[in-house]
Amino acid sequence: MRYYFLAFVLLLFSCKKEKSESDNVSQKVIVIQPLGGFKVKQAKKVFAEIKALNPNVVLRTDISFPENSFYKPRNRYRADSIIKHLKNNIGKDSVIVGLSNYDISTTYKGIKDWGVMGLGYVPGKSCVVSDFRLSAKTKNQQFYKLVLHELGHTEGLPHCSVKTCLMRDAEGGNPLDQEKAFCQSCKSFLKGKGWQLI
Ligand SMILES: [Zn+2]
Ligand SMILES: [Zn+2]
């Protein structure tokens, strides 16, 4: 009797798994959300770069930062509050990326307010990026890589140890100029999710 029961449970599980895999493969709409007077030209550039690879992308008009996200002592916005707010602001089959020219921060490794370049759920429906900490010289290239990094997190990708991979952990620095593309392993993970941004 025990074996029958176990077999039944396994069958249920495998059906469930199959369904969720095919759900993931359907293309998501990528929603780009400029925040707090983000530079229009810069937003259009990222939009065009993503659109060249994936036509399912929407550029929204600018909105204010969520009310509770401003962290006055450091004059910056809380990335964790932003992504929490943004995830409720989109449809079921979408993922949203917020764009900020202001510095953003989150609680990290016991430090209450740690400045970051970006933050995203792993996996989840929202992420945010800021160009505040990027190198002046290569800002545009770095910004695009950062957007792909955070979107990668939303698909479920963790940080990657390959030095040239876009999923490399910044570890408080800025390694973006050394990053070239998603590594083979991250690429195949994203392909399995039906991603076109590779
Ligand atoms: Zn990351
Ligand atoms: Zn990788």
Side-chain angles (χ1 to χ4, degrees), residues 4 114 143:
Y4 283 113
W114 170 274
F143 195 61

Side-chain angles (χ1 to χ4, degrees), residues 11 48 60 174 195:
L11 190 67
R60 282 197 184 160
N174 179 353
W195 249 48

